[in-house]
Amino acid sequence: MDQKKIGSFIAARRKDICLTQSQLAEKLGITDKAVSKWENGKSMPDLSLFRPLCGLLQITLNELLSGEFISDENLKEKSDQVLFDVVTNWLGTDQWERKTQASVPVVLKLKHICRRYETESTSTTALKDVSFTVAKGNFVGIMGASGSGKTTLLNIIATMDKATNGQIELNGQNVGALSENDLARFRREHLGFIFQEYNLLDTLTVYENIALALTLKQLPKENINPTILDLAAQLEISEILHKFPYEISGGQRQRCACARAIATNPDLILADEPTGALDSVSAKQLLETFVMLCRKYDATILMVTHDALSASYCDSILFLQDGEIKASLVREQENKHAFFSKILETMGKIAGGVTYVP
């Protein structure tokens, strides 16, 4: 995409409909400075502003992203190019190499998991015979529409819910055999969590939020400070360690949540729609952070998402529909853009009633 061309187009359309920069900014709920940066080609509108901006400027999304009016005869060709440019700009064109270790230990193993909810008059099956494994150091995505069973599956793995049938093993330990008294300690010692809404304590600084997790894990006091400082440097949050969560941006809060999750060296990190409350730039940074955690710290991450762009950062993906795994994809030696195309193709086949599990 030509950022300067798009900026000039926004400026011209704003003037055509007799709006000042201040008026456009007010209608979009942003600052005058942001509009000025767009029009000077220094930045792009956030994804969440694309549609309202198009409505105010009386243009189509394709016209906004191409920076010009599109005639009917050129619409299809131009639209395809715009989509390609947007996806490439967000995902990049990096080449990716799959891990080649001869033997990677399995961290998580699900065997024939079923979950039914019973009432006096009805029986609802949320999960049907779900089985899969997750190897150490992998970044695995679970995709599916609302009602597909994603949240139920995540809750069962997190030990917040219990399967009706089947077995879950984490590092060889049968989770279902744990007593209620042991589950809290198990979650604290073996699982890390990253939520859409961050779940940081507002009364504690960023440093204290991370330190609390390490204290609960009973890490020796002399190891807490160097652990936090090392993670903060890796996640680029060193300068905000002594700020409170309400004083920093959503993207920074989510990176703090990552630091808290990885600090205790859990066997598995569970991420529930972690990019849902973030703008596009912060979402991209978070996903790149996940990849770094897997590569550098050998973290194992299981992420629930409905977003194909976010899923493109994963090593592999499971597709849930009506409580069943309908398909799976493993990323080979290909860039994120190529993997994104495979994800869309798989989603299309599932929507069309085609079930396959490679």
Side-chain angles (χ1 to χ4, degrees):
M1 291 184 293
D2 189 331
Q3 201 161 288
K4 289 188 176 180
K5 183 179 179 182
I6 293 172
S8 297
F9 185 55
I10 291 174
R13 286 302 299 152
R14 174 180 60 76
K15 294 173 184 176
D16 286 345
I17 58 177
C18 301
L19 281 178
T20 65
Q21 286 186 347
S22 296
Q23 289 170 331
L24 181 60
E26 183 180 358
K27 290 178 181 293
L28 293 170
I30 58 175
T31 64
D32 299 7
K33 188 176 181 180
V35 175
S36 178
K37 284 185 175 182
W38 300 346
E39 296 187 354
N40 290 327
K42 294 181 179 179
S43 68
M44 281 284 290
D46 186 73
L47 288 175
S48 63
L49 296 175
F50 280 1
R51 292 199 178 279
L53 179 60
C54 287
L56 290 170
L57 299 182
Q58 300 171 20
I59 55 176
T60 67
L61 180 58
N62 288 325
E63 288 170 333
L64 171 65
L65 296 176
S66 62
E68 61 184 356
F69 288 112
I70 303 174
S71 61
D72 291 342
E73 58 267 25
N74 294 328
L75 181 59
K76 177 64 170 66
E77 179 182 353
K78 201 73 176 180
S79 297
D80 288 346
Q81 183 59 45
V82 167
L83 177 60
F84 180 84
D85 289 345
V86 170
V87 173
T88 299
N89 184 61
W90 207 86
L91 294 177
T93 56
D94 65 304
Q95 199 66 21
W96 182 88
E97 293 186 5
R98 189 178 175 189
K99 292 186 176 182
T100 56
Q101 296 100 315
S103 179
V104 181
V106 170
V107 170
L108 178 68
K109 182 183 291 185
L110 273 68
K111 302 177 181 177
H112 309 294
I113 294 296
C114 296
R115 183 62 171 107
R116 290 186 299 275
Y117 296 97
E118 308 278 354
T119 67
E120 292 183 359
S121 57
T122 62
S123 175
T124 303
T125 301
L127 295 173
K128 307 171 187 175
D129 196 27
V130 173
S131 299
F132 64 87
T133 61
V134 177
K136 184 174 178 59
N138 276 13
F139 182 14
V140 179
I142 298 177
M143 294 193 73
S146 297
S148 62
K150 302 191 307 296
T151 301
T152 299
L153 179 59
L154 199 69
N155 286 341
I156 289 175
I157 295 172
T159 72
M160 303 295 185
D161 194 4
K162 287 195 173 184
T164 306
N165 299 107
Q167 182 174 315
I168 297 178
E169 294 180 5
L170 189 65
N171 271 346
Q173 183 174 8
N174 183 359
V175 176
L178 296 173
S179 68
E180 291 293 333
N181 291 333
D182 291 334
L183 286 177
R185 185 176 70 251
F186 177 85
R187 285 191 290 270
R188 186 171 64 246
E189 295 180 353
H190 298 279
L191 298 176
F193 298 91
I194 300 173
F195 302 95
Q196 181 175 329
E197 297 299 331
Y198 324 118
N199 282 23
L200 297 171
L201 297 175
D202 279 339
T203 55
L204 301 180
T205 65
V206 169
Y207 183 98
E208 291 166 342
N209 266 280
I210 303 170
L212 177 61
L214 292 170
T215 302
L216 293 173
K217 187 73 180 287
Q218 297 183 336
L219 188 74
K221 186 176 180 180
E222 62 272 16
N223 293 344
I224 291 179
N225 188 59
T227 297
I228 295 176
L229 294 182
D230 174 65
L231 280 172
Q234 293 297 326
L235 297 176
E236 300 180 356
I237 56 172
S238 299
E239 296 182 357
I240 60 170
L241 281 177
H242 297 291
K243 290 188 176 183
F244 291 93
Y246 57 82
E247 296 178 308
I248 59 179
S249 69
Q252 290 172 323
R253 287 197 292 270
Q254 201 59 296
R255 289 202 297 279
C256 295
C258 286
R260 181 185 59 186
I262 196 68
T264 58
N265 193 28
D267 296 321
L268 178 66
I269 295 175
L270 300 173
D272 185 10
E273 298 281 6
T275 62
L278 302 180
D279 60 60
S280 59
V281 174
S282 297
K284 183 177 180 180
Q285 290 174 342
L286 176 66
L287 293 163
E288 289 172 346
T289 297
F290 282 175
V291 173
M292 182 275 289
L293 292 176
C294 291
R295 300 295 177 262
K296 182 163 185 175
Y297 291 91
D298 217 17
T300 307
I301 301 177
L302 187 65
M303 176 180 73
V304 165
T305 183
H306 67 277
D307 178 36
L309 287 170
S310 297
S312 302
Y313 283 79
C314 295
D315 299 323
S316 61
I317 303 170
L318 302 170
F319 297 85
L320 273 180
Q321 185 182 56
D322 298 328
E324 299 179 273
I325 296 178
K326 296 291 187 179
S328 65
L329 279 180
V330 176
R331 187 176 173 187
E332 302 295 342
Q333 292 186 344
E334 57 200 345
N335 60 38
K336 290 190 289 290
H337 192 287
F339 196 42
F340 172 77
S341 297
K342 285 188 176 181
I343 294 169
L344 293 184
E345 179 184 358
T346 303
M347 293 170 67
K349 288 181 177 179
I350 294 173
V354 177
T355 300
Y356 68 103
V357 182

